[in-house]
Amino acid sequence: MTQVLLVLAILLALGSGVPALLGARDSNRRQRLGAGLVVAAGVFALCAVAVSALESAGILDATVTAGWLMRACGLDGMQRWFLVPIAILGPCAAVYGTGYWPQASHPENGRKVSLFLGMLVAGLMTIVCARNTWPFLFGWEAMALAAFFLVATEDDNPDVRQASWHYLVATHFTTLSLFAMFSLMRAATGSYDLGPLPASISVSLSNGLFLLALFGFGIKAGVFGLHVWLPGAHANSPSHVSAILSGFVLKIGIFGLIRVLLWLPHPQLWWGGVILALGTTSALYGVVAALGQHDLKRLLAYHSVENIGIILMGLGVALLGRSLGRTDLLILGLAGALLHVWNHCFFKSLLFLAAGSVVHAAHTRTIDQLGGLLRAMPWTGAAFLVGAVAICGLPPLNGFVSELLVYLGLLRLTTHQTGLFWLAGALAAPVLALVGALAVACFVKVFGAVFLGEPRTHAARHAVEAPRSMRVPMAVLGGLCLAIGLASPLLAPLLDGAVSMWTPHAHVRLLAPLGSVSLAALALVLIIALLAFWLAGRLRKTGSTRAVTWDCGYALPTARMQYTAASFADILTSLFDWVLKPVTHLTAPAGRFPRRATFSSHVTDIALDHAIYPLAERGFELLSRLRGLQGGRTQAYIVYIFAALIALLWW
Amino acid sequence: MLSDALQTVLHLLVAFLLPPLLGGLIARTKAFVAGRVGPPLLQPYYDLARLVRKGSVISKTTTWVFKAGPVVSLASSMLAILFIPLGAHGPLLGFSGDVLLLVYLFGLGRFFTASAALDTGSAFEGMGAAREVSFAALAEPAFFFGLLCLCRITGSFELGTMLGPQLGSAWIAASAPLAMVCVAWLIVLLVENSRVPFDDPRTHLELTMVHEVMVLDHSGPAFGLIQYGAALKLQIYAAILVRAALPITTGNALTDWLVFLAGLAALAIAIGLCESTLARLKLTGIPKFLVGAGLASAFAVILLAR
């Protein structure tokens, strides 16, 4: 029964763009029909989750499905955990798209976006529920290529072409290492079915598979160093596509990593150490790089690197716990990582959708050209604020719950008595605290510069609120952020089901104070409400007058006198300029009566600009020496074929 | 002997009514050193009572976020203080991991205070907000390494236990790391509560302020909330530091309370003396100083590895 529902969901998502394709270029009605199909796909997927939970509890009979279908796909605890977010996010993005990218206003590429968005959701669902290598890889390629076409939506823009090209190169590296990994696994088990590898394989093979998985899935997840494709692709695609890319496509890398790590025998202690170190580096680098960004969506993209880092920190703790035989570390780390997968999916896609509304209204992504949008766009502003508070890991929202679990894992590692492993926890936990505080700085900067104060440009002054089709998905995602923050114990059974794939009979609530956290969050909301009520009453009684901002006595402040986002972040970015390596362009004022002076600066990406590009240039130089071989003369090619034949016969 | 119920009432009174007095004591100390009579000890209470009765002037630029700033930051401090032990008396609330709630509640308060400052569109308040969030971010590792030391020593992640009776015997075994932690926490206390040498709320030049410049546009009851919230936050940091430095549990409740209150008073006087005798650090020197404090408490963790 589960399998039938899953296939229906995948087919509905896959075909959701077909009505639009068969209709007129500018038919909004066809696009809405497609969005409806994605919503239906999401509902079917959620039903599949519910049915499979009942089947695994023995309440429903699971054996009625055909055997080959059972081998191809299905849902265990971990797969259920990962299917829920895409089943919610996919429909939200599709509905948002009907307002944000209506075909009537985008006849040149509206149908393309609808078609590939459905294909992307279908691909993601296929990967999550695959039980065999072939559906997994098939879904993987569908996802990878659909995402490429979506990133390249506005392919008349050179920035977009470059970003999609980076993405395509990166995703092919992923596929390459996945082919290698799955072939080795096939050789080890003798079957294409996905599952645990026999303990008879050698330790070095296990290590090799670990490195292949880390590299391949790490590119997709955007781990530091392999994240080079991520900021450009997220910034340059339509915002509802960015929401899915950041909200779930990155997580599919985490999903793959978690699956494969479970199947590999002989887990080594250094695996956990490497993943914890990578996670800590990614988290710190992501937030520092985000602080230096001037582009709203690029900034959010770097925060994805940060959050993937936090997820990996949890996973690293879990792996160390597995190797040290500490089940408590395993459960806390894994539960923290898994819950952060959900949370990041919801708050980051909320932030991308809110950023999309800003772009939709003000036609710019440059933070320092916005300002004062909260008055014109109260809903979008409130949605962004919810996302911002959640992503900083602040109570009473959901980010706090999952970060707390990761912290608890790290703190327990700190109290580990034998060996020096505890120092790993003792160094990683303060870094996570630093990351949290830097995230607060970054999101105060972006929320303040975009939504508060005075509008800095004409476009920002005349912004209007997003239509309802865009507000409803934001409200759904924001509501989920609040609900998980206030009522996380309700998620415990589903979370236990996922964690139990790694260690049987896991009970997260025995180790993590989910109930206390919920009560504290409720108490916080209550105190805020009481104080707000008191202040409103006081203000009514004592009276208040509206006047111009005091600004130290200046009577006519203008928007140009406001502090900019770049100045706001300057203390921190100048402290970290050894990693950001900013490039500045200065035309200094010259002469007695200087006419004009300009200053601009942007930070570079340490991996892309200082490692990959120089490396690629060297590679290009070396390889271009071989260019003479391909002169375009047919005779020469025939000679090559002849030589190759001779060589093969000889061999 | 004090009964449990009486102690809880005393705890609540000390937690919520005492904080402004610390500010009064600091001001009084500074006046004494300067040879002035100074304001009465209870001046902060009079100020609060006056502020809640006053009318407000609110900038036309602002939105609801401007009013949410004081409300959320006070609410987070009010919740946080319930998790703090006052002297030997354990906290009113607690769970394993509440130490993280404390850190993140301060983060929430900071988020909204700084957002409210940016809501006015004033360049000065922007500067103040930028400094506040940057310095707080750099102070975070210093505070956190210290907490980790206590976690490692006591094997608990609950503030009540971390600062509980075991800490007294831990001072004998691990005095050097704990002393380093206390020094680092004193620095964190001075930074987070905008005290000299990091910030001077009494300066008359807005350009050089950190915390005070963020609340320039607040007035009336909202400003009262901010002042009270600031006092509460000082008391939280002071209570943690006093308990970490003086982990004395005599078993006699009255003596324990007196020790704690004497510790608070001594800390307030020490802050006052600091403010009277030290010059302010250069603004660009603060980040370096904070990184130094962070490294000092990181060393404390390394010392525990022996």
Side-chain angles (χ1 to χ4, degrees):
Chain A
M1 189 60 194
T2 310
Q3 280 75 7
V4 176
L5 287 167
L6 283 175
V7 170
L8 269 175
I10 289 167
L11 288 179
L12 276 172
L14 192 63
S16 64
V18 173
L21 205 59
L22 299 177
R25 275 171 178 279
D26 53 359
S27 161
N28 279 348
R29 225 156 49 89
R30 295 284 179 128
Q31 190 188 12
R32 281 201 291 273
L33 180 63
L37 290 177
V38 179
V39 174
V43 172
F44 275 110
L46 287 178
C47 289
V49 169
V51 167
S52 85
L54 293 176
E55 281 177 355
S56 60
I59 300 171
L60 287 181
D61 186 8
T63 55
V64 290
T65 316
W68 62 271
L69 199 52
M70 293 276 279
R71 273 185 67 189
C73 67
L75 292 175
D76 61 23
M78 192 66 78
Q79 291 168 310
R80 280 199 284 276
W81 183 262
F82 275 86
L83 190 59
V84 175
I86 185 60
I88 295 171
L89 179 57
C92 282
V95 172
Y96 183 92
T98 60
Y100 176 75
W101 207 265
Q103 284 185 15
S105 340
H106 298 273
E108 70 287 356
N109 53 27
R111 294 188 299 181
K112 174 170 127 184
V113 172
S114 298
L115 182 71
F116 287 113
L117 191 78
M119 190 166 146
L120 178 64
V121 173
L124 289 168
M125 286 180 174
T126 313
I127 301 168
V128 170
C129 62
R131 273 182 178 171
N132 184 287
T133 305
W134 293 112
F136 191 99
L137 280 179
F138 200 77
W140 193 274
E141 281 307 287
M143 179 258 314
L145 294 178
F148 166 71
F149 287 113
L150 288 170
V151 173
T153 299
E154 293 172 286
D155 51 11
D156 48 332
N157 178 343
D159 284 347
V160 172
R161 282 201 300 275
Q162 197 196 22
S164 53
W165 173 245
H166 284 172
Y167 168 77
L168 195 66
V169 173
T171 200
H172 275 92
F173 271 103
T174 301
T175 311
L176 194 65
S177 61
L178 290 194
F179 272 18
M181 184 189 77
F182 281 124
S183 315
L184 287 173
M185 282 165 67
R186 159 85 171 87
T189 59
S191 150
Y192 281 115
D193 287 344
L194 296 175
L197 271 65
S200 55
I201 70 167
S202 68
V203 175
S204 50
L205 178 60
S206 202
N207 282 339
L209 286 171
F210 167 73
L211 289 177
L212 278 173
L214 188 61
F215 180 71
F217 291 124
I219 292 177
K220 192 49 74 179
V223 176
F224 169 68
L226 307 173
H227 70 275
V228 289
W229 63 274
L230 191 153
H234 285 53
N236 286 301
S237 36
S239 293
H240 57 308
V241 174
S242 320
I244 297 192
L245 283 182
S246 182
F248 205 76
V249 172
L250 304 183
K251 307 310 172 344
I252 210 74
I254 298 290
F255 172 76
L257 198 56
I258 288 182
R259 299 290 281 174
V260 172
L261 282 175
L262 175 64
W263 296 330
L264 293 184
H266 321 303
Q268 306 287 311
L269 200 55
W270 63 269
W271 295 3
V274 163
I275 288 193
L276 184 58
L278 271 178
T280 315
T281 321
S282 300
L284 193 56
Y285 176 74
V287 71
V288 168
L291 268 166
Q293 302 302 317
H294 304 309
D295 176 326
L296 179 56
K297 287 174 70 182
R298 233 182 151 75
L299 178 145
L300 293 178
Y302 274 107
H303 270 288
S304 299
V305 177
E306 174 217 328
N307 279 282
I308 286 294
I310 295 174
I311 294 170
L312 285 182
M313 285 169 91
L315 193 58
V317 171
L319 283 171
L320 284 177
R322 185 163 73 154
S323 306
L324 293 171
R326 288 275 304 263
T327 319
D328 58 335
L329 292 184
L330 194 162
I331 292 176
L332 281 172
L334 190 60
L338 290 175
L339 192 56
H340 207 68
V341 164
W342 270 43
N343 290 343
H344 182 246
C345 172
F346 296 142
F347 57 63
K348 183 50 74 60
S349 46
L350 174 63
L351 285 168
F352 267 116
L353 294 188
S357 301
V358 170
V359 176
H360 191 252
H363 308 291
T364 178
R365 302 195 309 244
T366 310
I367 296 171
D368 279 333
Q369 291 180 4
L370 297 161
L373 291 181
L374 188 61
R375 267 166 294 163
M377 309 174 73
W379 291 100
T380 302
F384 195 92
L385 181 62
V386 168
V389 172
I391 198 174
C392 294
L394 300 174
L397 298 180
N398 58 351
F400 177 68
V401 187
S402 46
E403 287 196 24
L404 180 81
L405 295 181
V406 176
Y407 269 120
L408 281 177
L410 288 171
L411 291 182
R412 273 178 186 259
L413 185 61
T414 308
T415 55
H416 190 75
Q417 287 304 334
T418 50
L420 282 178
F421 307 112
W422 69 273
L423 272 178
L427 292 177
V431 172
L432 189 50
L434 177 64
V435 166
L438 290 174
V440 169
C442 191
F443 273 94
V444 169
K445 158 189 137 170
V446 54
F447 181 66
V450 173
F451 289 98
L452 303 176
E454 293 285 350
R456 289 182 176 81
T457 53
H458 182 79
R461 201 166 296 123
H462 296 278
V464 286
E465 181 59 285
R468 196 192 301 163
S469 54
M470 289 160 72
R471 294 203 306 263
V472 169
M474 288 195 276
V476 169
L477 294 168
L480 282 167
C481 290
L482 187 63
I484 298 178
L486 293 180
S488 50
L490 295 181
L491 277 183
L494 200 57
L495 190 55
D496 286 341
V499 177
S500 296
M501 299 305 297
W502 276 44
T503 177
H505 314 299
H507 283 292
V508 176
R509 289 195 65 184
L510 291 182
L511 291 167
L514 293 182
S516 306
V517 169
S518 297
L519 286 179
L522 281 170
L524 183 63
V525 171
L526 190 70
I527 299 176
I528 290 175
L530 287 176
L531 281 178
F533 187 70
W534 179 84
L535 183 62
R538 253 352 272 180
L539 285 180
R540 219 175 298 119
K541 209 169 203 173
T542 56
S544 61
T545 44
R546 304 287 280 185
V548 71
T549 294
W550 187 59
D551 222 7
C552 299
Y554 192 73
L556 266 178
T558 74
R560 290 188 59 189
M561 290 163 60
Q562 273 183 110
Y563 222 44
T564 60
S567 333
F568 189 89
D570 186 62
I571 300 176
L572 290 169
T573 46
S574 55
L575 204 61
F576 287 103
D577 60 1
W578 50 278
V579 59
L580 295 174
K581 299 187 193 295
V583 179
T584 54
H585 307 279
L586 173 69
T587 317
R592 290 220 168 72
F593 300 99
R595 286 276 166 105
R596 58 188 294 270
T598 59
F599 173 79
S600 70
S601 86
H602 72 273
V603 299
T604 52
D605 187 301
I606 193 163
L608 187 66
D609 295 314
H610 301 285
I612 306 271
Y613 270 152
L615 210 69
E617 260 165 42
R618 277 299 294 282
F620 186 73
E621 265 170 38
L622 285 175
L623 292 176
S624 57
R625 292 189 195 150
L626 297 176
R627 269 196 172 168
L629 287 176
Q630 197 177 8
R633 274 193 306 264
T634 319
Q635 294 92 327
Y637 293 150
I638 295 173
V639 172
Y640 299 154
I641 294 170
F642 185 72
L645 266 176
I646 296 285
L648 283 174
L649 282 173
W650 189 267
W651 191 40
Chain B
M1 283 304 280
L2 301 171
S3 72
D4 277 354
L6 197 63
Q7 282 213 57
T8 307
V9 173
L10 187 63
H11 190 117
L12 277 171
L13 288 178
V14 170
F16 289 105
L17 291 185
L18 189 71
L21 191 63
L22 288 182
L25 197 53
I26 295 174
R28 200 59 197 227
T29 312
K30 287 169 76 175
F32 177 79
V33 175
R36 291 183 282 116
V37 178
L41 264 182
L42 299 182
Q43 187 61 40
Y45 296 94
Y46 304 146
D47 287 348
L48 287 177
R50 184 169 45 90
L51 282 171
V52 295
R53 285 197 309 269
K54 279 187 98 166
S56 319
V57 182
I58 296 174
S59 160
K60 279 183 274 194
T61 308
T62 59
T63 58
W64 58 269
V65 173
F66 180 71
K67 290 174 206 154
V71 167
V72 176
S73 73
L74 176 60
S76 52
S77 293
M78 283 173 80
L79 183 62
I81 204 165
L82 298 176
F83 290 90
I84 308 291
L86 296 180
H89 193 246
L92 299 174
L93 301 176
F95 58 86
S96 179
D98 60 5
V99 51
L100 302 158
L101 183 69
L102 174 79
V103 172
Y104 278 81
L105 278 175
F106 283 138
L108 181 72
R110 198 183 325 132
F111 187 103
F112 275 87
T113 311
S115 293
L118 291 176
D119 202 13
T120 60
S122 149
F124 287 108
E125 300 202 22
M127 280 178 212
R131 290 169 189 163
E132 168 94 355
V133 295
S134 308
F135 297 161
L138 298 174
E140 203 89 308
F143 189 54
F144 215 86
F145 272 119
L147 291 174
L148 272 177
C149 275
L150 292 192
C151 288
R152 169 94 182 151
I153 289 170
T154 60
S156 164
F157 321 124
E158 191 172 344
L159 277 166
T161 322
M162 285 164 60
L163 296 166
Q166 296 156 270
L167 201 56
S169 47
W171 260 98
I172 301 161
S175 49
L178 281 175
M180 286 170 96
V181 167
C182 286
V183 172
W185 279 1
L186 180 64
I187 293 171
V188 171
L189 179 144
L190 295 176
V191 175
E192 288 278 346
N193 295 288
S194 35
R195 291 282 151 194
V196 179
F198 302 101
D199 185 13
D200 185 2
R202 297 276 170 261
T203 175
H204 52 263
L205 193 59
E206 287 86 351
L207 199 61
T208 63
M209 293 179 184
V210 179
H211 182 80
E212 215 60 19
V213 71
M214 282 198 299
V215 296
L216 275 182
D217 260 88
H218 286 281
S219 51
F223 191 55
L225 292 183
I226 291 174
Q227 294 288 54
Y228 180 59
L232 212 53
K233 191 172 169 189
L234 176 62
Q235 164 128 330
I236 293 174
Y237 278 103
I240 295 177
L241 181 57
V242 165
R243 180 63 189 164
L246 278 180
I248 300 167
T249 311
T250 57
N252 182 336
L254 198 60
T255 324
D256 285 344
W257 276 107
L258 287 177
V259 166
F260 173 67
L261 292 177
L264 274 189
L267 182 60
I269 292 170
I271 294 173
L273 289 176
C274 249
E275 302 220 327
S276 310
T277 52
L278 286 180
R280 263 191 75 172
L281 280 173
K282 221 169 85 180
L283 208 56
T284 47
I286 297 178
K288 290 170 198 157
F289 204 87
L290 289 175
V291 172
L295 287 177
S297 55
F299 270 116
V301 172
I302 301 289
L303 278 183
L304 286 179
R306 286 177 309 154

